[in-house]
Amino acid sequence: LDATTEEFTLTKDRSFTFAIDKLDEDETARQLAAASALARQQREVVIPEVDKYVYGVMTTKAGTKPAALALTADNIYTEILKGSQALDEAEVPESGRVLVVTPAVYLLMKQCADITMETDIGNDLRIKGVISNLDGLNVQKIPATHLPDNFGFMIAHPSATVAPTKLEDYKVHQDPPGISGSLVEGRICYDAFVLDNKTKAIYYQAIPSA
């Protein structure tokens, strides 16, 4: 019995810094407060970038990638079933599979007469972003801005991908030397990898470029 060791090197070391003047904070009735600005930076910049990168790695390394196809309300269910079949043939565990879709594709699913989604989802799954269940797939609806271009849908098992965050640090310094106000700093070191022997646990369907 041979064993193969994979070595991963994190390549994404990202940081940001900005200052909030004390007078500006006062003039905006603290609408420009450091805490709210940091929360917005995480919500609108950091999280979308990390999401897009991780999903980009997953779609690039997906073990099954059929040709780009225009998805409609008539064919969406059939195409999803093809993805499930591909994972079945690769002996991917049935429990825990996730179907990732954009809001536009989710709308097609809602319009498809053949699709019946189970929306009685436990709170533990809702915390993870699951909004419904389709044929045993946990459905996650992700904004298109957090996904690669021409994203249709992806079926994946969590065992296929590792996305470590080695360092995540955010700080607000009050009145540091040279600044009258707050200095906000953040740094995150992260990456994502698809295991070589788990690529078949990811099925990615792209749509044609506009």
Side-chain angles (χ1 to χ4, degrees), residues 47-194:
I47 293 176
E49 177 188 301
V50 174
D51 282 354
K52 191 163 188 173
Y53 178 79
V54 172
Y55 286 120
V57 170
M58 294 177 70
T59 56
T60 301
K61 298 292 184 65
T64 307
K65 291 190 288 187
L69 175 71
L71 298 175
T72 67
D74 294 326
N75 69 5
I76 182 64
Y77 190 38
T78 300
E79 297 305 320
I80 291 174
L81 291 180
K82 288 180 181 178
S84 292
Q85 179 186 7
L87 266 64
D88 290 340
E89 295 291 351
E91 300 184 0
V92 177
E94 292 188 23
S95 61
R97 294 181 187 179
V98 178
L99 170 63
V100 180
V101 298
T102 63
V105 172
Y106 185 71
L107 178 60
L108 295 177
M109 293 168 61
K110 298 280 283 186
Q111 295 172 340
C112 179
D114 296 327
I115 291 182
T116 301
M117 286 184 286
E118 174 61 53
T119 57
D120 186 16
I121 300 298
N123 189 57
D124 57 329
L125 290 177
R126 293 190 184 279
I127 292 175
K128 298 178 182 179
V130 177
I131 59 173
S132 60
N133 185 283
L134 172 64
D135 293 335
L137 303 173
N138 292 326
V139 181
Q140 287 188 338
K141 181 173 61 175
I142 308 295
T145 54
H146 291 225
L147 296 167
D149 295 335
N150 306 318
F151 187 96
F153 68 84
M154 179 173 64
I155 302 175
H157 192 274
S159 63
T161 309
V162 290
T165 299
K166 189 171 181 63
L167 173 67
E168 188 172 12
D169 188 31
Y170 305 103
K171 291 182 180 179
V172 176
H173 305 278
Q174 288 296 137
D175 297 319
I179 296 177
S180 175
S182 303
L183 176 64
V184 183
E185 294 180 318
R187 183 183 180 189
I188 179 170
C189 181
Y190 69 95
D191 215 316
F193 310 94
V194 175

